[in-house]
């Protein structure tokens, strides 16, 4: 969004920092639920999944998912777009994009 000049550099850096903080907290919660913490449930063993996903594959999947959500947001909020169907197309498009990305990842 900073590249599209919709937010300032300060807001972009704050958004980036909060995304990193959320990722760290999410990873800590997953470690608590699925890690080697005493009393934790190992969801991978319960589901029968044994093999690990390589780091590069996870990175590429997150990159594609993030691109999908950002592209959908920028396309739906384009001010020069003239083919507006209704006032509900922006939240619906972004919500469906987030749903599909979360469903596949």
């Amino acid at each position: 969004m900073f590249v599209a000049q919709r937010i300032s550099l300060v807001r972009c850096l704050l958004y980036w920092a909060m995304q990193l903080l959320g990722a760290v907290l999410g990873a800590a919660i997953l470690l608590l639920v699925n890690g080697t913490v005493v009393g934790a449930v190992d969801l991978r063993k319960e589901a029968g999944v044994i093999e690990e996903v390589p780091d590069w594959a996870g990175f590429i999947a997150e990159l594609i998912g993030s691109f999908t959500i950002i592209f959908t947001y920028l396309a739906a909020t384009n001010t020069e777009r003239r083919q507006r169907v209704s006032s509900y197309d922006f939240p619906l498009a972004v919500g469906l994009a987030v749903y599909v990305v979360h469903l596949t990842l």
Side-chain angles (χ1 to χ4, degrees):
M1 299 230 330
F2 172 71
V3 175
Q5 297 179 351
R6 294 192 181 190
I7 60 173
S8 67
L9 178 62
V10 174
R11 182 169 278 191
C12 178
L13 292 175
L14 286 173
Y15 181 74
W16 186 52
M18 291 300 115
Q19 285 288 328
L20 287 175
L21 179 66
V24 169
L25 289 176
I29 290 171
L30 283 176
L31 178 65
L32 178 67
V33 170
N34 200 17
T36 58
V37 179
V38 177
V41 177
D42 193 0
L43 297 175
R44 288 179 298 197
K45 287 182 183 175
E46 295 294 327
V49 178
I50 298 172
E51 59 189 60
E52 297 274 330
V53 176
D55 292 338
W56 64 268
F59 178 76
I60 296 297
E62 286 290 332
L63 189 69
I64 292 170
S66 297
F67 172 78
T68 303
I69 293 173
I70 291 171
F71 182 79
T72 303
Y73 178 79
L74 290 175
T77 60
N78 187 2
T79 57
E80 296 162 6
R81 182 175 160 206
R82 294 188 180 139
Q83 298 175 345
R84 206 109 173 116
V85 177
S86 68
S87 61
Y88 298 110
D89 59 348
F90 162 66
L92 184 63
V94 174
L96 284 174
V98 170
Y99 173 73
V100 167
V101 167
H102 284 166
L103 191 66
T104 56
L105 292 180

